[in-house]
Amino acid sequence: MNRRQFLLASAAVAASGYGVASPPLANTGKPEANLILLRPAPGEAELMGAGRAKVPVWAYNGSVPGPVLRVRRGEELRVRLQNGLTEPTTVHWHGVRVPNAMDGVAGLTQTAVSSGGTFDYAFTPPDAGTFWYHPHHRTAEQMAHGLYGMLIVEETDAPPVDRDLPLVIADWRLGREGRLHEESLGSMGDGSHAGRLGNVLTVNGGAPGAATVRSGERVRLRLLNASNARVLVLDVRGLEARIVALDGQPVRPFTPGEGGIVLGPAQRADLVADVALAPGGAGDIVEVSGNLEFPVLRLTAHPTDVARSSPLNAPFALPGNGLPDPDLRAPLDVTLRIEGGAMGRLTAAVHNGISKDMRTLVNDGMVWAFNGVAGMADKPLFSVPRGRTVRVTMENETGWPHAMHVHGHHFRTLSGGLPNDDQAWRDTVLMGRGGKTTVAFVADNPGKWVLHCHMLEHQATGMVTWFEVT
Ligand code: C2O
Ligand code: CU
Ligand code: CU
């Protein structure tokens, strides 16, 4: 059996292309060559596993997550969004350094596509790696319904693996009869606390993944946290796995430490494991942040089928994407003070150009502020000429963690990230409560870009701003 023939055990997983290593581009009735149709619409998903209850969701091309999109670095990706929802939507290509007009941010880079409407996205991803796509209009509600999928940009020249498994992990809040808990969508309680935390985790839209591998195989796992707000902590058991990329960008491979792999909302980690299991043995990835452990993936070694008598010794490292290094001799220094939330000290902020006290803000759905402004401001946080280095110091003066995300660029975490973030390129950085994190990047992508918390209920209640590269 080779990697292209291999399917994960779960039918739900296989149906959307997540179990196969070959490019499963879901082109249905494509009108032109190379044009992928992506159609978000109401649908159903067996979130609890194949054969279990069908839950009404919103799905891209009928599957949750949406189809895995694969493109080779340097090749153009063309996607036609056909809006089958009853409300407007867009597609944002998270982590991809796209031209501004392709960024999919409703109200800033494009008008939201109305129900029944279409929009063509076309761009050539400059970086290889693990990325993803999701709406950027009413993001919290649309993602809570299941709209997201993985975008894989293949390296021109990557060391080979025997198997490549995308794993989209998402947190769902289900209510009675296993339906999506609609009543709490947009809840200010969630907005002012930790965001919409769920009660069910899915892996590729269904029950935990399971795959039979052969002893000696080299497996690449692409982990994505597509949750609205939950921070995942993943423990790797019985597998020698090294992290080879974070947020799509290669890192010097390292073994995850004691604390496991911490993945904030929107973050990704690529792992490479050489299966050193005895035939019939198993290795696991387990989510351990809560009281109850949640299995994410079990790899079981085939009882007789052996890929190699001993695992590969050759180290695995991905070629870098050649991002421009920040020049810290004379950067544009920006401070981003984050305030608000439950148990915070925010008493007033500017919203829609008007200064409001806290009670008015809450009435208007706002509870957080960046530098005293809640929600999108008329003026950019900063404007910078193309090519200049920006150094942003984010001061979290709230009692909550945040997953800070910058569009159009990847940044280097200079200080204050998780230990493994140090100097890594990321597009989303997780900040602890009361923490201070400094990042820097070369502002080389012209246009208007948002910077926001990827805990989507925080974004919806104020944690979003924008900057301009001229
Ligand atoms: Cu995942 Cu503003 O994006
Ligand atoms: Cu993004
Ligand atoms: Cu936040």
Side-chain angles (χ1 to χ4, degrees), residues 55-77:
V55 179
V57 295
W58 295 349
Y60 286 116
N61 297 3
S63 81
V64 173
V68 181
L69 304 182
R70 275 185 190 260
V71 63
R72 190 166 288 271
R73 184 185 189 196
E75 281 174 9
E76 191 180 47
L77 179 68

Side-chain angles (χ1 to χ4, degrees), residues 56-59 64 140-148 172 180 182 185:
V57 295
W58 295 349
V64 173
E141 288 81 358
Q142 296 192 3
M143 274 188 49
H145 279 85
L147 292 177
Y148 41 77
W172 296 76
L180 197 73
E182 303 261 358
L185 285 167

Side-chain angles (χ1 to χ4, degrees), residues 92-95 103-105 132-136 139 143 265-266 268 405-407 427-428 450-454 456 459 464:
H92 167 59
W93 311 95
H94 184 117
D103 202 38
V105 177
W132 63 301
Y133 59 94
H134 63 76
H136 223 290
T139 317
M143 274 188 49
R268 289 87 66 210
H405 171 49
V406 173
H407 279 219
D427 58 50
T428 307
V450 281
L451 186 171
H452 62 86
C453 180
H454 221 289
L456 301 172
Q459 178 189 358
V464 55

Side-chain angles (χ1 to χ4, degrees), residues 330-398:
L332 173 67
D333 264 308
V334 177
T335 302
L336 187 74
R337 197 163 26 86
I338 308 170
E339 294 175 291
M343 294 163 300
R345 293 186 300 269
L346 188 68
T347 53
V350 173
H351 176 228
N352 289 340
I354 303 164
S355 178
K356 298 180 178 177
D357 63 17
M358 196 63 198
R359 175 193 294 224
T360 314
L361 285 173
V362 172
N363 278 335
D364 295 345
M366 295 288 130
V367 278
W368 309 89
F370 286 159
N371 293 355
V373 180
M376 287 293 270
D378 304 339
K379 295 222 182 75
L381 176 70
F382 59 88
S383 176
V384 59
R386 180 179 191 178
R388 182 143 187 223
T389 291
V390 185
R391 178 165 60 193
V392 185
T393 298
M394 299 180 280
E395 299 173 355
N396 181 2
E397 298 179 4
T398 79

Side-chain angles (χ1 to χ4, degrees), residues 262 267 394 402 411-424 426 428-432 435-439:
V262 179
Q267 291 188 316
M394 299 180 280
H402 300 291
F411 49 76
R412 252 197 213 289
T413 312
L414 300 182
S415 66
L418 296 174
N420 293 331
D421 286 349
D422 204 26
Q423 297 299 317
R426 300 219 72 141
T428 307
V429 67
L430 193 61
M431 298 185 72
K436 185 167 167 173
T437 300
T438 303
V439 305

Side-chain angles (χ1 to χ4, degrees), residues 57-259:
V57 295
W58 295 349
Y60 286 116
N61 297 3
S63 81
V64 173
V68 181
L69 304 182
R70 275 185 190 260
V71 63
R72 190 166 288 271
R73 184 185 189 196
E75 281 174 9
E76 191 180 47
L77 179 68
R78 296 174 65 219
V79 176
R80 175 164 297 166
L81 165 66
Q82 283 186 333
N83 186 2
L85 303 170
T86 56
E87 63 179 53
T89 192
T90 63
V91 183
H92 167 59
W93 311 95
H94 184 117
V96 184
R97 300 185 294 137
V98 295
N100 195 246
M102 297 290 111
D103 202 38
V105 177
L108 189 70
T109 69
Q110 72 169 95
T111 312
V113 180
S114 48
S115 176
T118 67
F119 188 91
D120 286 356
Y121 294 94
F123 54 89
T124 303
D127 304 323
T130 301
F131 303 101
W132 63 301
Y133 59 94
H134 63 76
H136 223 290
H137 175 69
R138 293 188 9 96
T139 317
E141 288 81 358
Q142 296 192 3
M143 274 188 49
H145 279 85
L147 292 177
Y148 41 77
M150 194 175 273
L151 167 60
I152 294 175
V153 183
E154 292 173 347
E155 295 80 9
T156 333
D157 220 354
V161 294
D162 298 303
R163 192 186 302 267
D164 187 330
L165 292 179
L167 294 168
V168 179
I169 310 170
D171 181 35
W172 296 76
R173 187 183 293 174
L174 302 184
R176 283 206 263 153
E177 289 144 19
R179 284 168 172 266
L180 197 73
H181 197 264
E182 303 261 358
E183 306 88 288
S184 58
L185 285 167
S187 135
M188 285 306 279
D190 289 338
S192 59
H193 291 73
R196 184 179 175 88
L197 300 178
N199 44 17
V200 171
L201 275 188
T202 58
V203 178
N204 295 341
T212 304
V213 295
R214 298 160 300 159
S215 291
E217 264 193 49
R218 176 166 277 187
V219 184
R220 179 173 182 173
L221 304 171
R222 301 175 186 264
L223 303 165
L224 158 66
N225 182 357
S227 306
N228 274 40
R230 185 176 293 281
V231 176
L232 301 173
V233 181
L234 303 170
D235 196 21
V236 183
R237 299 177 184 165
L239 291 170
E240 276 299 319
R242 278 146 295 142
I243 294 179
V244 298
L246 292 170
D247 290 356
Q249 302 294 352
V251 293
R252 186 146 29 82
F254 64 93
T255 307
E258 285 271 294

